[in-house]
Amino acid sequence: MKSARKQKRAYHRLIKDMNIICCDKPMKIVLICNAGLSTGFDKQMLESIVNPIITECEFIMPQGRSYCFIRCRSEMDAVELYNKLHGRFILNRQRTILYLTYIQSVPDVYNDTSNFTLPPGLKIIEDFIDEKEEKLLLNIVDWTNMGSFSSDLKQRKVKHFGYEFQYHSNKVDPNLPIMSIPEECSFLQDLFKKHGCGTYDYDQLTINHYLPGQGIPPHIDTHSPFEDTILSLSLSSSCVMNFKKGDVKVNVVLPQRSLLVMTGEARYAWTHGISSKYSDLIETTNGVVKQMRGVRTSFTFRKVRRDPCSCIFVEYCDTKKDSFSSFIDNKSAAELERSYVHKVYNEISDHFSETRSKGWPNVIKFLNSLNDGALVVDVGCGNGKYLHTNENIVKIGCDRSSKLAEICRKRNFEVLLSDCLHLPYKDNSVDFAISIAVIHHLSTQERRKRAISEMIRILRPYEIVQNLLTVICLYLGKNELVTISLDIIIFLKKKNYQNYVQRFLWY
Ligand SMILES: O=C(O)CCC(=O)C(=O)O
Ligand SMILES: [Fe+2]
């Protein structure tokens, strides 16, 4: 008994060293602490033990390790497995009692589902530049001076050259060049050609500056603004970049002074990102080592595109999506929304309402800033989470989900059951309209345009004309989240509204 406890403690220490977070409460992933490839345990043996208890699970058996992971389909399966095996199952030959624990996640280094092959079209050129050249490049930028075309983002600092990368749209304006790429980089253009990275000169450079613990969310660089090849030079520290397509994940080490080349499928269809961590686990010939991150600066070179993207990765392509949406007729669009939006919201309304009690702070700030007596309509008000903000204004709402409207009514909010394409209010009748996270549920541009027009129709004309785009940007903030939730709309005015609708849809 005593030795078993000792053994268990030793394994837990090891687990701690590997950054694995053990949990007392059930999780979907179970770790067998004391049996793995290095103890003579193999996949066949593991399957023969686990499969009679649960099916459809994934086995992760790291090379040279004395433990292994089982990713179960559900927590219930994990509990079943844990209860049957932990402290109970004895491995015949070694007379070892298996010890199990629940864990939150499999360390990234073992999460690699690709068997270590790189995504197609991805290449790493090690030692692309020497130390002297690295120093020269690092000296180009002064991070204490964040002038124009620089941003101090939450997770990193950035500077742009050639064309500004606009984080609200994830695009560049090809008609608006900014200061050109620094002269000190011109030797790189020759090196790129020498290594077969395209025949053109790259004309857009984004320099990212990451402190340890910082990163970049997973993303695919938008197709329409940039040509196929995207290059990223890693300076002053290495890091691990995570690539993902569907369920397949590949973690790629970007060594200091290496060049990452993304073309074809890797550029167009795989997301890339860097998790916000202080260290990376790296698989080496001596096993897994923990590598602390230093301050990393990357130079990302792109070529601005002048023609529409003609890639074959249709489902990831914004050019293709834009033209695709115009093919959907109104009837099919309405059908899609009925099945995938209205039905779903009615089914999940209770859970949705329980998990959506807090409003977005900037919207609350906006509502609190309004003059007493103002009449505000919340289009797509959901469970009415904004309808109790600021008791000095009058709030009404509407929603397409009868279940959510019912929840609102029970809370004594004045809510109508309505589609955002046909608002049940008179022209020029409300002072303000807000619509938060609604527009993206409409499946064509035409319908989105119509929803915006409807909101403008019901607004009273204002003397003070403010710019709709300014308002959208103001409330989205200069945060990267902007790119995924473009549909917070707060209208303050109406004038030449067709203009605004056009400009809004340009995003
Ligand atoms: O830091 C890097 O290497 C990648 C940067 C990146 O993906 C981007 O700016 O889009
Ligand atoms: Fe990127």
Side-chain angles (χ1 to χ4, degrees):
M1 246 343 244
K2 206 169 157 197
S3 69
R5 229 178 294 129
K6 257 188 175 172
Q7 187 191 21
K8 201 177 159 195
R9 229 178 289 136
Y11 282 117
H12 275 135
R13 211 173 305 125
L14 176 105
I15 290 159
K16 217 169 127 205
D17 290 346
M18 296 301 298
N19 284 348
I20 298 169
I21 303 162
C22 300
C23 306
D24 291 332
K25 72 175 183 48
M27 293 278 149
K28 274 191 203 169
I29 308 169
V30 171
L31 172 71
I32 300 187
C33 307
N34 57 338
L37 291 178
S38 74
T39 67
F41 196 49
D42 61 26
K43 187 139 177 240
Q44 225 176 349
M45 290 157 82
L46 183 58
E47 275 172 356
S48 69
I49 297 169
V50 173
N51 284 348
I53 307 170
I54 58 165
T55 49
E56 287 188 52
C57 57
E58 184 194 348
F59 302 114
I60 302 160
M61 302 194 79
Q63 285 297 338
R65 298 286 122 182
S66 56
Y67 49 82
C68 57
F69 308 91
I70 302 154
R71 199 196 304 270
C72 305
R73 201 181 35 177
S74 64
E75 266 172 37
M76 228 160 71
D77 277 3
V79 172
E80 180 85 2
L81 195 66
Y82 183 94
N83 289 345
K84 292 250 164 73
L85 298 183
H86 175 66
R88 289 170 186 230
F89 193 91
I90 303 171
L91 275 182
N92 307 347
R93 240 180 320 138
Q94 299 102 323
R95 312 279 319 145
T96 314
I97 304 172
L98 291 187
Y99 291 109
L100 274 66
T101 176
Y102 298 112
I103 59 166
Q104 258 176 10
S105 58
V106 175
D108 267 355
V109 73
Y110 301 137
N111 238 332
D112 201 319
T113 48
S114 70
N115 289 330
F116 306 108
T117 46
L118 294 178
L122 192 140
K123 198 164 70 176
I124 308 284
I125 308 176
E126 291 201 28
D127 295 313
F128 189 75
I129 53 167
D130 62 29
E131 284 178 34
K132 222 170 102 205
E133 290 163 333
E134 178 185 34
K135 226 182 208 153
L136 178 125
L137 293 174
L138 286 169
N139 277 336
I140 296 177
V141 264
D142 173 8
W143 293 106
T144 58
N145 174 12
M146 298 298 285
S148 36
F149 312 116
S150 308
S151 309
D152 198 347
L153 304 174
K154 220 158 93 195
Q155 277 293 317
R156 63 193 197 280
K157 285 181 181 170
V158 291
K159 280 181 190 278
H160 305 289
F161 298 89
Y163 295 86
E164 185 180 19
F165 186 87
Q166 297 166 344
Y167 289 100
H168 59 83
S169 61
N170 281 339
K171 289 182 180 172
V172 293
D173 184 342
N175 302 314
L176 207 66
I178 56 167
M179 69 249 187
S180 47
I181 297 181
E183 196 46 45
E184 292 92 325
C185 295
S186 50
F187 76 97
L188 288 172
Q189 305 274 12
D190 297 335
L191 268 182
F192 295 153
K193 286 188 199 110
K194 214 170 99 191
H195 281 88
C197 309
T199 48
Y200 39 71
D201 271 355
Y202 289 80
D203 54 7
Q204 198 274 331
L205 166 65
T206 295
I207 308 183
N208 286 287
H209 182 74
Y210 307 86
L211 298 175
Q214 294 190 320
I216 184 167
H219 64 281
I220 297 175
D221 287 39
T222 322
H223 293 201
S224 63
F226 305 116
E227 291 286 350
D228 186 350
T229 309
I230 293 182
L231 307 171
S232 186
L233 189 60
S234 292
L235 305 180
S236 72
S237 172
S238 67
C239 78
V240 168
M241 189 172 262
N242 314 115
F243 288 84
K244 188 166 179 279
K245 181 172 175 245
D247 292 337
V248 187
K249 293 178 187 168
V250 186
N251 304 312
V252 179
V253 181
L254 306 182
Q256 186 175 349
R257 291 188 295 282
S258 69
L259 183 75
L260 163 73
V261 185
M262 289 185 279
T263 57
E265 188 178 315
R267 180 263 184 270
Y268 287 127
W270 288 66
T271 61
H272 57 278
I274 300 170
S275 50
S276 309
K277 295 197 303 195
Y278 289 88
S279 63
D280 292 304
L281 292 176
I282 294 177
E283 187 100 80
T284 68
T285 42
N286 296 326
V288 175
V289 294
K290 186 171 174 175
Q291 194 166 79
M292 299 310 292
R293 285 203 197 148
V295 175
R296 175 173 176 271
T297 303
S298 67
F299 281 48
T300 300
F301 289 88
R302 307 176 181 104
K303 171 78 178 163
V304 171
R305 194 189 278 287
R306 299 284 158 183
D307 302 315
C309 178
S310 57
C311 74
I312 54 164
F313 303 95
V314 185
E315 54 184 307
Y316 307 95
C317 184
D318 57 318
T319 306
K320 306 279 181 346
K321 273 205 183 112
D322 287 352
S323 45
F324 176 68
S325 69
S326 59
F327 291 141
I328 311 177
D329 62 45
N330 217 26
K331 200 166 152 239
S332 322
E335 203 57 57
L336 278 173
E337 288 155 23
R338 228 185 327 274
S339 316
Y340 293 101
V341 184
H342 308 161
K343 199 163 158 260
V344 173
Y345 271 98
N346 267 352
E347 277 163 14
I348 63 164
S349 61
D350 286 335
H351 174 74
F352 179 84
S353 181
E354 276 161 29
T355 51
R356 304 295 196 286
S357 52
K358 263 208 207 134
W360 295 2
N362 280 340
V363 179
I364 294 170
K365 209 156 94 193
F366 169 76
L367 292 173
N368 282 328
S369 74
L370 301 181
N371 289 342
D372 289 3
L375 174 60
V376 184
V377 61
D378 183 353
V379 176
C381 63
N383 64 351
K385 69 178 175 205
Y386 296 109
L387 297 180
H388 52 71
T389 307
N390 189 353
E391 55 186 34
N392 300 322
I393 59 173
V394 181
K395 292 136 305 187
I396 53 177
C398 62
D399 204 279
R400 177 63 182 76
S401 159
S402 54
K403 289 274 167 54
L404 287 170
E406 212 172 285
I407 291 174
C408 284
R409 255 176 254 132
K410 280 191 191 139
R411 293 177 169 177
N412 284 330
F413 297 140
E414 199 162 314
V415 166
L416 297 172
L417 181 61
S418 157
D419 198 317
C420 61
L421 299 172
H422 310 90
L423 292 176
Y425 310 109
K426 285 188 191 155
D427 295 359
N428 307 324
S429 58
V430 301
D431 296 316
F432 300 96
I434 65 172
S435 181
I436 318 295
V438 173
I439 292 288
H440 63 262
H441 292 314
L442 298 167
S443 47
T444 63
Q445 280 219 2
E446 279 313 306
R447 292 167 76 80
R448 291 175 187 189
K449 213 171 188 176
R450 162 99 202 224
I452 297 169
S453 299
E454 266 299 271
M455 282 185 268
I456 295 169
R457 177 186 64 76
I458 62 168
L459 282 164
R460 282 191 193 130
Y462 268 78
E463 276 172 26
I464 306 161
V465 173
Q466 302 202 30
N467 190 314
L468 168 60
L469 286 181
T470 321
V471 177
I472 291 174
C473 294
L474 182 70
Y475 282 92
L476 288 170
K478 271 194 158 186
N479 187 308
E480 277 167 90
L481 264 183
V482 170
T483 56
I484 48 167
S485 51
L486 271 175
D487 66 327
I488 169 173
I489 306 175
I490 301 174
F491 290 108
L492 290 179
K493 52 107 207 331
K494 69 178 205 176
K495 193 185 174 197
N496 299 336
Y497 72 82
Q498 281 308 341
N499 245 348
Y500 297 123
V501 173
Q502 289 303 333
R503 286 171 69 187
F504 175 79
L505 288 168
W506 177 78
Y507 273 88

